Amino acid sequence: MDPDVSVLLQCAQWRGLLESQVQVELSERFNRQTDPALERHIDEIWTERQAKEPWLFNGAKFRLHSFCLASPTRQPSPDSFKVPKSDFSDKKRQQGDYDFEDDLDIKDGCINPTKSGCIPLQTDNVLSQSSSSCDNRSFRSIQAERYSHSEPLLTLSLGLTCYKDYLGTNWSRRVAELRQRGEAEFGDPLALLAQPLGVGAVLCTNDSQVVLIRRSQKVAEAGGLLDIPGGHPEPKAVCECLGEAVNEEQISLVIMQQRPDAVVSELFSSVCAEIRDEVNIPLSSLGTPLLMGIALNHTSGGRPSAEFFVSCSLTSEEVRKLYWKGGAEANESTDVVFLHRTDVMQLNRSSPLWSELCPSAKGAMLLYQTVKPDDGPTSSSPHRNIHTQVQKYTNITESIHSLVNPNI
């Protein structure tokens, strides 16, 4: 296994999750910990970076604190919402060695496990995909209804962070020290890190070619390496979608807590917007995104990225022509490369191409090989034939990306 990446979460049992199968909990409890000395360190790094790269600007990001994945085949037990300290070895974690059938209802629990484990959603946030009220029903009873429909349920616990904090923590030369401090002071090696949640897409054309792009030497990370289309879900885009015109400094979780479904929508739509902007493929040519899982980039302190599979109704030659016409973020890459899905399934560390992949692409490839989202429908997912599915995104999807952060 490549030391640069590991798989934190994989959704192989369902061959990927749809937007309706994911929900979020938003709270300041999920923000990073800090102190005055760390803030001074972050300011110093930001000042240094801006002096060298004056085009950089700070922007709010979602911070992934933890996740809970419930099994669709079992009713939740009273203890299933408490996540114990994980005893997974590093080897098992890197191999993605999760037993979804036989394990507890909540999988490997937290990225940042605490003494009480993952915090369950509050009642008023549980039915984030529905317009109906939760009334006085408990979280567990609502969960039981979800289970009765054999629907898997992934809950992402999100706080807020920003690009400046990411450069000053995850990307800092002191990241190892920060991890040690986090473990010593908070029982969590990630407590002091920004941990911004990224998104990436394994994009497959209708002639079974996976699309890769060669990163420009001018981008902040992994210049010159092959990558998948990707970026970040944007808190500001969510606020604007909800009718709140705010600048980056005014963004707060309070605005978004009333509509956590809008955050989920941004998570899924942002990956398609990145494909549109980086590869110049229209949204109408893209299929429904499937969340394959979450990969960690250990070259940047274990930064998490949600990796998706997205089908495309165009051929690789049509995609090539669109790419060279140039999209909104054409300056971030210098070439487009195609790799047949059969070759992608066989990629490993001994493959010559592997060393050309940046960590985010490696993590996505590992998830693609494990989840196999395009192998055909499963018995529990009759709607999974996404190669023949083309979804036209609504105005909410188009408007949600009026602002794009080109930093990463």
Side-chain angles (χ1 to χ4, degrees):
M1 187 59 60
D2 195 306
D4 289 349
V5 296
S6 64
V7 172
L8 177 73
L9 164 69
Q10 51 99 333
C11 305
Q13 181 172 348
W14 308 281
R15 297 208 178 118
L17 299 183
L18 293 166
E19 181 177 332
S20 61
Q21 296 168 310
V22 179
Q23 59 186 6
V24 298
E25 180 185 11
L26 305 167
S27 174
E28 292 183 356
R29 299 191 306 273
F30 306 139
N31 293 350
R32 69 177 177 86
Q33 302 293 328
T34 190
D35 59 34
L38 178 54
E39 293 305 305
R40 287 193 297 271
H41 174 67
I42 293 173
D43 287 339
E44 290 171 1
I45 290 181
W46 183 247
T47 300
E48 292 174 5
R49 287 296 295 264
Q50 280 197 311
K52 298 177 182 178
E53 305 162 80
W55 56 85
L56 291 181
F57 68 93
N58 195 18
K61 307 295 176 189
F62 290 107
R63 181 180 190 268
L64 181 61
H65 170 273
S66 56
F67 72 87
C68 291
L69 180 63
S71 166
T73 59
R74 301 176 60 183
Q75 293 287 335
S77 66
D79 295 328
S80 67
F81 300 94
K82 298 178 180 179
V83 182
K85 290 278 189 176
S86 171
D87 59 357
F88 271 22
S89 67
D90 288 341
K91 181 178 180 181
K92 282 189 175 182
R93 183 180 299 278
Q94 290 182 358
Q95 292 175 338
D97 190 11
Y98 304 103
D99 189 346
F100 284 89
E101 292 289 350
D102 300 327
D103 239 341
L104 292 175
D105 294 311
I106 304 301
K107 306 309 305 169
D108 179 39
C110 293
I111 296 174
N112 299 337
T114 63
K115 291 182 179 179
S116 59
C118 288
I119 303 172
L121 287 173
Q122 299 299 316
T123 306
D124 60 352
N125 285 341
V126 174
L127 294 180
S128 60
Q129 296 294 334
S130 171
S131 59
S132 61
S133 169
C134 293
D135 299 321
N136 293 320
R137 291 176 293 168
S138 69
F139 176 69
R140 289 187 176 88
S141 68
I142 294 170
Q143 285 283 45
E145 290 180 17
R146 297 257 187 171
Y147 278 70
S148 68
H149 290 86
S150 297
E151 284 290 338
L153 178 61
L154 173 64
T155 302
L156 301 176
S157 298
L158 303 177
L160 276 182
T161 186
C162 63
Y163 184 62
K164 173 183 175 181
D165 289 357
Y166 164 69
L167 291 181
T169 59
N170 287 72
W171 203 241
S172 167
R173 57 186 176 273
R174 290 173 49 190
V175 63
E177 175 190 336
L178 293 176
R179 291 177 64 92
Q180 292 172 357
R181 280 189 54 200
E183 179 64 41
E185 298 174 20
F186 303 98
D188 172 12
L190 305 178
L192 297 170
L193 303 186
Q195 293 297 95
L197 178 62
V199 294
V202 173
L203 175 64
C204 192
T205 65
N206 74 354
D207 53 349
S208 299
Q209 298 287 328
V210 173
V211 180
L212 299 171
I213 52 178
R214 178 81 64 181
R215 291 174 66 86
S216 167
Q217 293 288 356
K218 296 181 180 180
V219 295
E221 298 176 41
L225 297 181
L226 289 174
D227 200 0
I228 57 173
H232 293 86
E234 302 287 351
K236 184 172 183 178
V238 176
C239 294
E240 291 177 346
C241 178
L242 298 178
E244 298 287 343
V246 296
N247 58 41
E248 295 288 351
E249 291 73 25
Q250 294 174 319
I251 292 173
S252 73
L253 291 173
V254 175
I255 299 173
M256 295 175 279
Q257 281 172 333
Q258 304 304 314
R259 287 288 307 279
D261 59 308
V263 177
V264 179
S265 178
E266 166 66 3
L267 176 65
F268 276 74
S269 64
S270 63
V271 72
C272 289
E274 293 292 348
I275 294 172
R276 176 197 62 198
D277 294 341
E278 295 183 5
V279 192
N280 199 32
I281 297 176
L283 295 178
S284 58
S285 297
L286 301 178
T288 303
L290 288 176
L291 177 61
M292 299 186 294
I294 298 173
L296 300 181
N297 181 349
H298 297 294
T299 67
S300 55
R303 182 186 55 166
S305 181
E307 308 296 356
F308 294 82
F309 172 81
V310 180
S311 63
C312 177
S313 62
L314 305 176
T315 66
S316 54
E317 187 57 32
E318 289 171 324
V319 170
R320 188 191 307 276
K321 290 178 180 178
L322 286 171
Y323 172 84
W324 286 113
K325 286 182 179 179
E329 297 181 3
N331 62 312
E332 294 188 7
S333 64
T334 59
D335 197 6
V336 63
V337 176
F338 299 92
L339 192 64
H340 195 277
R341 71 173 301 275
T342 303
D343 297 323
V344 172
M345 297 302 294
Q346 297 174 353
L347 274 176
N348 55 50
R349 289 189 69 187
S350 63
S351 305
L353 187 65
W354 189 260
S355 61
E356 290 193 62
L357 298 177
C358 65
S360 57
K362 292 177 181 178
M365 296 305 169
L366 292 176
L367 280 167
Y368 180 71
Q369 292 169 349
T370 303
V371 178
K372 302 179 178 65
D374 52 349
D375 267 1
T378 65
S379 58
S380 62
S381 307
H383 52 282
R384 282 297 198 263
N385 192 10
I386 59 178
H387 271 303
T388 61
Q389 192 177 33
V390 175
Q391 173 178 328
K392 288 191 176 182
Y393 278 76
T394 60
N395 290 337
I396 188 175
T397 307
E398 291 284 358
S399 63
I400 208 167
H401 280 278
S402 59
L403 178 65
V404 178
N405 183 355
N407 286 336
I408 298 180

